[in-house]
Amino acid sequence: QGRLAMGPWYVQPDEFIPSGESLLRNLQEGMRVAARLGQVSKVGFLCDIFGHTGQMPQMLQGMGIESAIVWRGTNEKNTGSCFRWESPDGSQVLAYRFGPSWGYGDFTYRGRSPFDLKTSFDQEGLFKLIDRYIEVQKARGPQGLPILIFDGSDHLEIEPGLLELLGPQGQEATSLPVTMGTLDDFTREMAAREDLIGTTITGELREPGQPMVKDSVHDSWHEGDDSVWIIP
């Protein structure tokens, strides 16, 4: 029915330790298993891998995958939210970087306070947060690109209260209409507006992480410039 999308990896690998053959067979097996169970996700989900080999866009394209979702191995100031990622042979995928702060857990940590076990989910607090969060996301890239609100992180259950964002009160709290979908839906919409994406990065993505700083204007954390940090 298309309500569950899986893959494309069988397991999310380290990219620099296995051989290229191993990485491709990992994708093949993941897509084979996902197809047996339901819908294969055709998004290069690379969000929690510690750096990326330069041939990854070439590998993804070879498997019929035209997008990548990344976080580690990149820094916000160099990529923004969206960029074209190119292999040495010229193969390209459209890439989205989770962020700007806690990667794939960015929205979850801001909106659900998952580490505070004594506090229950605050729906009204989420409505107050969501429009500010959308503005932060809009500032990360060219205007006109879709905004991704990704609710997910390690070892967390689904929060049913988030569905209220799709209802009248939730829609009233946001400056843009909110729809629910898969990463495949999001990357298809991103591809439909790819002419807005002007940044191209070629080769390996293995930048060291940046320290976090507090932005008092937007009341949010983001990656800072390590040149201004003093380490006592």
Side-chain angles (χ1 to χ4, degrees):
Q1 295 176 322
R3 293 187 296 164
L4 178 65
M6 295 158 285
W9 296 103
Y10 186 68
V11 294
Q12 194 160 169
D14 186 297
E15 290 179 37
F16 290 101
I17 296 176
S19 67
E21 174 87 10
S22 175
L23 293 173
L24 288 171
R25 289 187 178 273
N26 189 335
L27 280 169
Q28 285 181 323
E29 182 65 5
M31 294 169 76
R32 185 187 68 81
V33 172
R36 190 178 75 230
L37 297 174
Q39 178 178 329
V40 180
S41 175
K42 299 298 287 289
V43 176
F45 195 69
L46 308 165
C47 73
D48 206 19
I49 298 174
F50 289 76
H52 309 284
T53 177
Q55 274 71 32
M56 185 52 65
Q58 181 181 351
M59 293 184 188
L60 294 175
Q61 279 283 1
M63 299 297 292
I65 298 171
E66 299 184 350
S67 63
I69 305 286
V70 301
W71 173 40
R72 300 188 192 276
T74 63
N75 284 310
E76 182 76 9
K77 66 180 182 180
N78 297 326
T79 66
S81 61
C82 301
F83 60 98
R84 299 174 191 273
W85 184 16
E86 184 174 277
S87 284
D89 77 327
S91 300
Q92 283 191 355
V93 293
L94 292 180
Y96 177 86
R97 182 190 189 271
F98 281 127
S101 304
W102 292 285
Y104 55 94
D106 193 63
F107 175 76
T108 302
Y109 297 159
R110 296 173 193 269
R112 291 175 56 184
S113 301
F115 300 125
D116 184 358
L117 302 181
K118 297 180 181 180
T119 303
S120 58
F121 176 65
D122 180 7
Q123 197 169 83
E124 291 301 318
L126 176 70
F127 289 149
K128 293 177 182 177
L129 162 82
I130 189 67
D131 205 39
R132 187 168 74 242
Y133 184 77
I134 289 174
E135 291 303 311
V136 169
Q137 293 297 318
K138 285 169 65 176
R140 300 179 59 221
Q143 296 299 301
L145 288 173
I147 303 298
L148 178 63
I149 301 175
F150 185 84
D151 181 48
S153 189
D154 298 341
H155 318 299
L156 287 181
E157 75 289 348
I158 291 172
E159 174 48 64
L162 285 171
L163 291 173
E164 292 301 317
L165 282 175
L166 305 176
Q169 188 178 0
Q171 298 286 5
E172 186 177 332
T174 66
S175 58
L176 296 172
V178 179
T179 57
M180 180 172 286
T182 63
L183 285 176
D184 296 80
D185 296 326
F186 171 75
T187 55
R188 275 193 293 269
E189 187 168 351
M190 187 172 69
R193 308 180 194 183
E194 65 174 304
D195 58 312
L196 299 174
I197 302 173
T199 301
T200 299
I201 297 177
T202 301
E204 293 181 350
L205 303 179
R206 52 185 181 89
E207 298 174 346
Q210 297 285 347
M212 302 293 289
V213 297
K214 185 70 176 292
D215 181 346
S216 59
V217 176
H218 298 100
D219 190 29
S220 63
W221 289 87
H222 60 86
E223 292 167 357
D225 184 344
D226 55 0
S227 64
V228 301
W229 270 63
I230 299 174
I231 308 300

